[in-house]
Amino acid sequence: MVMVVCAGFMCLAQTAFAAQRFGQDSAVYVWMVFCMLVAFAIGFLLLARSRYPRATFVAACVVVLVFPYDPILALMALTALLARRNDMKTTVRAIVAGGFVTLAAQVRDALRPPEASIWHMVFAKPDTGSQYGTDLIMLADDRTIVITAIVAALLELAIATLAGLHIRSRALASLATAKADAADAQVAQLKTTIDSQQLADAIAAEAHDTLAHSLSLLALNASALQAESKRLVAEAESMDAHQLAEQTGRIAEKTEEIRKQAAGALDEAHSVIDMLRHPEQAREQLAPSDETSLTRESLDALIGDARAAGMRLNTWIDIQQLGQLNRETGKIAYRSLQEGLTNASRHAPGSPVSLELTANPTAGVHAHVSNPTIPANGTHLDTNAKDMSRTGAGLPGLAERVRQSGGTCRFGFDPQHTFHMDVQLPWVE
């Protein structure tokens, strides 16, 4: 509203001075009265500068040229246009047009008779003029007044232009800041999504590693129990009391072992469910521990559980300075052995399994698990881990974890239909 009032006042002032040289009975004087009436409302044209900056500027320039108005209306519209249009061609054209209108309006006023010109009033001697009953005495000649009007017009144009460009730069800076904040928010959201996805993948891998191994040993023990039960049924009539008691005792031991393994698998399932319910605590639960990292004790327990479940396991182990191995790397190595034994018990029950493990600072960690089997379609050892149809979902996840740790994981069938899983990890202390 300050801009509206200022623009209307200056237009009224210019019109009032311009009307001084016309008589009240002349047609031009009527035109001046009309111009004054329009001047009361012309400032409200600036209210459209935000929504229609180009049209407002063009209209302001036309009004200033047609009516005897001060160029401040066009200069304000110029500032608004420059602030809202970031286009070089538009900027240059607007400055040229605004400069022409401003110069024309100021020179037009400077060329009017002294009594009808604001610029002449600026250079007039005080207390002179028709209102004082004397002739108007000028303190400068017409040439000086015109030059001063031109200089003032150029200064006004420069101020309006700089103001518009400054407002534009601030708006662009605010926009860039807003975009940067939006990008940061998007990055933060993506990071949260990625972290959540990584956590979900880690929980899924943990569930597969623990539950799949426990359930495979459970299934292996159940198969052994079934075989013992069938043999007992077939030979019960030919057995004496001692042999019968011995056989039933073995079945009872197998049953108790299955019960313990089922209870352990249930505990592991509860642990996974707890991680899903409390993801903020899941990372702590997923951290390597003595039971889930490669240590002599965890290795003995893993091999012992497999043999207790009836797996025919041949081992070749050469480990040195295992206590210095990074626990994250140790966990991946342990999970590799666990996954190899789990796959062997699931896909080749009853087949002999070979486990080789070498771990030292020089050679790194090398784990190899193999077992003979008859696949549907034999394939050679797969370096890129693309053949997943017969190997389940655990090996691809394992291969990805090994790759992220800087190692290699290869698995597949050789020409003799023996399945191999080979993992090489760098030694990290």
Side-chain angles (χ1 to χ4, degrees), residues 208 339 343 346 388 391-398:
H208 179 274
E339 180 65 23
N343 277 320
R346 286 177 58 196
M388 310 300 171
T391 56
L395 285 172
L398 175 65

Side-chain angles (χ1 to χ4, degrees), residues 90-412:
T90 301
T91 300
V92 173
R93 289 179 177 178
I95 293 174
V96 171
F100 172 77
V101 172
T102 303
L103 284 171
Q106 295 292 18
V107 172
R108 180 179 61 191
D109 180 78
L111 294 177
R112 288 176 183 146
E115 294 284 350
S117 171
I118 291 180
W119 281 111
H120 281 80
M121 290 296 104
V122 173
F123 288 94
K125 184 177 180 179
D127 302 328
T128 62
S130 58
Q131 66 269 33
Y132 295 102
T134 63
D135 294 333
L136 186 65
I137 301 175
M138 301 303 301
L139 300 178
D141 57 15
D142 290 344
R143 180 180 179 183
T144 301
I145 295 174
V146 172
I147 293 174
T148 303
I150 293 174
V151 172
L154 294 177
L155 288 175
E156 290 174 341
L157 177 66
I159 293 172
T161 300
L162 292 176
L165 295 178
H166 174 67
I167 295 172
R168 179 202 294 177
S169 64
R170 288 182 57 185
L172 291 176
S174 299
L175 180 61
T177 302
K179 288 183 177 180
D181 293 341
D184 290 341
Q186 187 176 10
V187 169
Q189 183 178 2
L190 288 175
K191 186 177 183 300
T192 302
T193 302
I194 291 173
D195 290 343
S196 299
Q197 184 60 48
Q198 289 177 343
L199 180 60
D201 292 342
I203 294 174
E206 188 74 10
H208 179 274
D209 292 339
T210 56
L211 286 175
H213 183 69
S214 297
L215 294 176
S216 65
L217 293 181
L218 189 63
L220 200 60
N221 272 322
S223 297
L225 178 62
Q226 184 183 30
E228 291 283 347
S229 300
K230 288 182 178 180
R231 190 170 66 176
L232 178 60
V233 171
E235 300 176 359
E237 295 181 357
S238 60
M239 289 182 180
D240 56 23
H242 176 72
Q243 291 175 332
L244 190 61
E246 183 179 354
Q247 188 72 12
T248 55
R250 284 199 298 267
I251 292 177
E253 290 177 1
K254 282 289 183 182
T255 304
E256 177 63 17
E257 190 172 349
I258 290 174
R259 187 196 66 78
K260 291 180 179 179
Q261 289 176 343
L266 184 61
D267 291 338
E268 291 168 355
H270 285 160
S271 177
V272 172
I273 293 172
D274 187 59
M275 283 190 287
L276 293 174
R277 287 178 175 173
H278 307 284
E280 67 279 358
Q281 302 173 2
R283 297 191 185 279
E284 297 180 4
Q285 296 175 259
L286 292 172
S289 62
D290 292 338
E291 292 78 18
T292 61
S293 188
L294 185 62
T295 62
R296 294 180 183 273
E297 292 76 13
S298 65
L299 183 60
D300 290 341
L302 181 65
I303 294 174
D305 289 342
R307 285 175 172 163
M311 180 179 290
R312 292 187 292 161
L313 183 61
N314 300 316
T315 61
W316 189 91
I317 298 173
D318 179 12
I319 53 177
Q320 302 174 24
Q321 304 179 31
L322 201 56
Q324 299 178 8
L325 181 63
N326 177 273
R327 300 193 76 178
E328 291 289 346
T329 304
K331 181 176 182 178
I332 296 175
Y334 177 83
R335 294 304 191 196
S336 300
L337 296 173
Q338 192 179 55
E339 180 65 23
L341 295 178
T342 299
N343 277 320
S345 64
R346 286 177 58 196
H347 301 293
S351 298
V353 180
S354 297
L355 184 151
E356 301 178 18
L357 176 64
T358 302
N360 58 67
T362 303
V365 180
H366 178 239
H368 186 95
V369 179
S370 61
N371 57 275
T373 185
I374 305 298
N377 293 296
T379 58
H380 293 290
L381 196 64
D382 187 1
T383 303
N384 298 319
K386 294 179 181 177
D387 185 34
M388 310 300 171
S389 59
R390 293 168 300 281
T391 56
L395 285 172
L398 175 65
E400 179 62 20
R401 279 182 283 172
V402 171
R403 185 191 64 79
Q404 290 178 356
S405 65
T408 58
C409 176
R410 303 186 303 160
F411 54 88

